[in-house]
Amino acid sequence: MRYSEVAERVIAAVGGVGNVSNAWHCMTRLRFDLKDAGKADLAALEAIPEVIGTNVQNGELQVVVGTEVEKYYEQLADQLGLADKAGDADGSGAKRGWVALAMDTVSGVFGPIVPAIAGAGMIKGLMAGLAALGVISNKNDTYLVIDMIASGVFTFLPFFVAASAAKIFKTNMFMAVAIAAAMQYPTMTAAAAAKEISAFMLFGIVPVPVFNYAGTVIPIIFSVFALSHIYRWVDRVLPRVLRTVFTPTFSLFIAGALALTVIGPIGIFLGNQLAAGVAWLFATSPILAGIIFGATRPIAVFTGLHHAETPIALQNFANRGWDNLMPMMFMANMAIAGATAAIYFKVRNKDQKTVVASAAVSGLLGITEPALFGVLAKYRRAFVAATIGSAIASTFFAVFGVRIYAYILSSIFSLPAYVGPYFPFALAGIAIAISTSFVLTLLLVPAEPAADATPVAEAAPQGSGGAKGDQVELVAVARGAFVPLEQVSDAVFASKTVGDGYALQPADGDVYAPVSGTVTVVFPTKHAIGLKTDDGVEVLVHLGIDTVSLKGEGFEVFCAPGDRVNPSTRIARVDLDSVRRAGKDPVILVLVTNLGKVSTVNEFDGADAALQRGDSVVSVSAAV
């Protein structure tokens, strides 16, 4: 599917163009602020083959699409007209708490610039390793030239942060970069290097503190935030005829003066306090520090808040020339890869093994979202194993004081950056992280039974829901009236955009599996359950229309990812009266979502026909 088509389906699934207040992306995720979160259909999103997973965090919808996120975002932004919304404020962020908003903002700002930081950091790490081994001298011209290529990103980091923050705060990007340029103008940097004065005097009375803003991030984020409000205020109060010239003039002067006199110094203070707090924790109890940062890293990546740690690491590099948080991130990635690799020996299906192997390799290379969303989200015990492995390895690093001297992507290829006194500990830490999470996963996660281990014919009632030759039958999941899919009230389902199958208006709330197979996903809102047959047919059971907004109220789920089910297995219960009182349609949809894997879907003939649980409704012919 082309990037534009994926973007179109994503927009439709989040409620349409009119429901999107803002959208941006990080390294692997499309991120949305929605006007009405209840209009987002997570099941429809999950049904898009290119979507690895979804997550809702503090009111922000995250759609994980992998490392090609920028290509998807380009099409998404074009279809949403985001380029035309730079000066449009909707204040949607005010709906979330200040702490959550700050974390989301930092994550959103750093996501797009991580490739530049990671690429430059990798070069710096490799050069540092070669210098430590004596392969090249750090006085060599070649070393100096390559160091310029790598260090430019970190020296002028405020420029990159300014451009990214301008998109988040919906203000003019070049005005934001102008603020960063003022903060790093040679007059300021030279004064900071000379250390002869502590402040300039603006108008002879207003002190402008002297700081070196190179490599800092918090001051420029706050400054661009202020610029976004100042620009809109100035543009609003000026007569229209004066705006073209004087809106940027007054905005730049006011925002620049505030950045240099108030916002920048406060940002420096906050950055230093954060770094000092982390340093205090490591100095007070390395074990506690390792446990805290190691155990929270996997869930931070899963919720999309992991970039919030980046400013602290960068502040450490700016203040001390080294950092001890990045090694913790390294250990977390290795633990995630180890737990994922163990799942390879637990699954039976060849397609699943391919997905798991790919995700494990991706984790070793520093990209953990495929492992987290594609594998560990389905096997919660494996996620726990990865968390334990990360905590143990990170504690090991903290106790032995492992540090790194350049920002670098936390992957197996970052090892050269550890060459030196900490290199043996880095090797030991990798072994601890991978082996601990791998072994724990093998112990905690039960193996899937062989394909012929479930006696479907004996266990299932009429309409086994199993394969007949090359066919898979979808049976009625409850007692009720058959509804042709085209007649359901949701246009996305009715158009079969999500998938093909049948709908059923239930007479009671007990819901059973429509097929024999494995539970692949249970949505946090309990309104949708994903299944996969041994033949690879993916089936979605969606309980009600627009019921994601009920946030689980009225739903009870009796299965979990990884469970084996058949049509005699009760998978959920719906409080039909509660759903109806909320103004929602309780119709149940049973859909085959990976239509590319099937050749035909033989539909049931008989609208409004009464169905009993287990009755054969739809048969699916597997593609040859």
Side-chain angles (χ1 to χ4, degrees):
M1 189 180 299
R2 294 183 302 177
Y3 299 112
S4 59
E5 294 174 356
V6 173
E8 184 177 350
R9 289 185 64 178
V10 168
I11 291 172
V14 300
V17 174
N19 195 40
V20 179
S21 294
N22 195 15
W24 63 100
H25 72 89
C26 58
M27 200 168 184
T28 58
R29 311 169 197 221
L30 298 169
R31 294 167 176 257
F32 295 89
D33 271 340
L34 302 179
K35 295 175 182 177
D36 183 356
K39 292 183 179 179
D41 193 327
L42 300 186
L45 286 169
E46 293 279 359
I48 301 172
E50 290 77 8
V51 172
I52 298 172
T54 60
N55 185 51
V56 178
Q57 178 71 23
N58 298 316
E60 174 192 293
L61 173 63
Q62 303 167 4
V63 181
V64 184
V65 293
T67 54
E68 292 189 299
V69 63
E70 191 167 351
K71 295 179 180 177
Y72 292 111
Y73 179 76
E74 288 176 359
Q75 298 297 325
L76 186 87
D78 183 58
Q79 294 178 31
L80 291 173
L82 292 180
D84 299 326
K85 296 183 179 181
D88 178 29
D90 57 33
S92 61
K95 298 176 184 177
R96 303 199 297 274
W98 284 104
V99 174
L101 179 60
M103 298 282 278
D104 290 345
T105 299
V106 172
S107 296
V109 167
F110 273 95
I113 63 177
V114 162
I117 297 175
M122 184 68 78
I123 295 173
K124 286 181 71 70
L126 290 171
M127 295 306 292
L130 292 174
L133 292 171
V135 176
I136 188 172
S137 168
N138 57 12
K139 305 297 182 183
N140 183 285
D141 283 354
T142 299
Y143 182 95
L144 296 176
V145 170
I146 296 176
D147 186 62
M148 284 191 288
I149 295 172
S151 297
V153 174
F154 299 100
T155 301
F156 298 103
L157 187 59
F159 289 81
F160 294 84
V161 174
S164 185
K167 292 184 178 180
I168 298 297
F169 298 129
K170 301 179 184 178
T171 194
N172 186 282
M173 181 188 300
F174 299 101
M175 291 287 291
V177 172
I179 299 295
M183 298 173 79
Q184 286 198 259
Y185 193 71
T187 302
M188 176 67 80
T189 56
K195 299 181 180 179
E196 295 177 352
I197 60 172
S198 60
F200 297 105
M201 299 304 294
L202 179 64
F203 303 126
I205 55 172
V206 181
V208 178
V210 172
F211 289 110
N212 182 5
Y213 290 101
T216 62
V217 296
I218 295 179
I220 192 61
I221 291 177
F222 285 172
S223 297
V224 175
F225 175 74
L227 170 68
S228 68
H229 288 276
I230 291 169
Y231 193 97
R232 285 191 286 268
W233 175 75
V234 171
D235 198 58
R236 186 169 60 249
V237 300
L238 282 179
R240 184 179 300 274
V241 70
L242 300 178
R243 291 176 184 173
T244 302
V245 174
F246 290 102
T247 293
T249 301
F250 291 137
S251 299
L252 180 60
F253 177 78
I254 297 171
L258 278 175
L260 292 172
T261 58
V262 180
I263 300 174
I266 290 176
I268 290 287
F269 173 78
L270 290 176
N272 288 338
Q273 290 301 111
L274 282 173
V278 172
W280 173 84
L281 180 60
F282 274 91
T284 302
S285 176
I287 294 177
L288 182 61
I291 292 174
I292 290 175
F293 289 110
T296 57
R297 181 67 182 182
I299 192 64
V301 178
F302 189 82
T303 56
L305 299 179
H306 51 302
H307 292 309
E309 297 176 0
T310 302
I312 303 175
L314 293 171
Q315 192 70 46
N316 284 335
F317 288 123
N319 292 351
R320 301 184 295 187
W322 54 270
D323 171 64
N324 46 8
L325 274 183
M326 294 286 308
M328 308 287 176
M329 304 174 193
F330 184 21
M331 291 299 94
N333 286 1
M334 296 302 100
I336 290 170
T340 303
I343 293 296
Y344 180 87
F345 298 97
K346 296 293 185 177
V347 298
R348 302 286 187 180
N349 185 277
K350 291 182 179 179
D351 289 341
Q352 286 182 298
K353 283 184 175 290
T354 300
V355 169
V356 170
S358 175
V361 172
S362 181
L364 288 173
L365 299 179
I367 306 298
T368 53
E369 277 81 359
L372 285 169
F373 286 93
V375 181
L376 300 189
K378 302 175 184 177
Y379 299 91
R380 290 174 292 182
R381 294 180 180 181
F383 189 95
V384 171
T387 300
I388 295 173
S390 173
I392 293 174
S394 296
T395 301
F396 174 82
F397 266 24
V399 169
F400 287 96
V402 177
R403 60 187 64 169
I404 195 169
Y405 296 89
Y407 188 102
I408 190 169
L409 186 67
S410 298
S411 77
I412 197 70
F413 289 118
S414 66
L415 261 178
Y418 291 87
V419 170
Y422 300 104
F423 189 67
F425 300 119
L427 293 175
I430 292 173
I432 292 171
I434 294 178
S435 63
T436 301
S437 60
F438 185 90
V439 171
L440 283 175
T441 300
L442 290 180
L443 294 174
L444 294 175
V445 178
E448 289 186 358
D452 59 353
T454 305
V456 175
E458 297 180 12
Q462 178 189 357
S464 68
K468 286 187 176 181
D470 61 347
Q471 289 192 332
V472 174
E473 289 189 64
L474 303 184
V475 304
V477 296
R479 181 171 60 86
F482 171 81
V483 179
L485 206 55
E486 295 85 354
Q487 295 181 15
V488 299
S489 58
D490 186 284
V492 174
F493 290 126
S495 64
K496 301 184 180 181
T497 301
V498 176
D500 200 354
Y502 73 88
L504 181 150
Q505 194 62 248
D508 60 58
D510 287 327
V511 181
Y512 290 75
V515 293
S516 296
T518 303
V519 178
T520 57
V521 63
V522 175
F523 287 84
T525 47
K526 304 177 184 179
H527 77 295
I529 299 169
L531 310 170
K532 190 171 186 178
T533 71
D534 293 333
D535 294 325
V537 177
E538 296 176 1
V539 180
L540 175 70
V541 180
H542 195 282
L543 308 177
I545 300 295
D546 195 29
T547 46
V548 64
S549 60
L550 300 182
K551 300 179 180 178
E553 290 294 326
F555 299 96
E556 190 175 2
V557 174
F558 305 111
C559 60
D563 288 354
R564 292 285 298 183
V565 297
N566 60 52
S568 66
T569 307
R570 186 172 65 159
I571 58 174
R573 178 168 178 77
V574 183
D575 185 337
L576 299 178
D577 291 336
S578 174
V579 172
R580 291 190 180 104
R581 283 196 301 269
K584 307 299 182 184
D585 183 353
V587 66
I588 300 174
L589 302 109
V590 179
L591 309 171
V592 175
T593 56
N594 60 339
L595 293 175
K597 291 283 187 178
V598 301
S599 59
T600 59
V601 177
N602 301 314
E603 299 183 358
F604 183 80
D605 184 17
D608 300 322
L611 295 172
Q612 298 298 319
R613 178 176 66 83
D615 286 351
S616 179
V617 184
V618 171
S619 62
V620 177
S621 298
V624 179

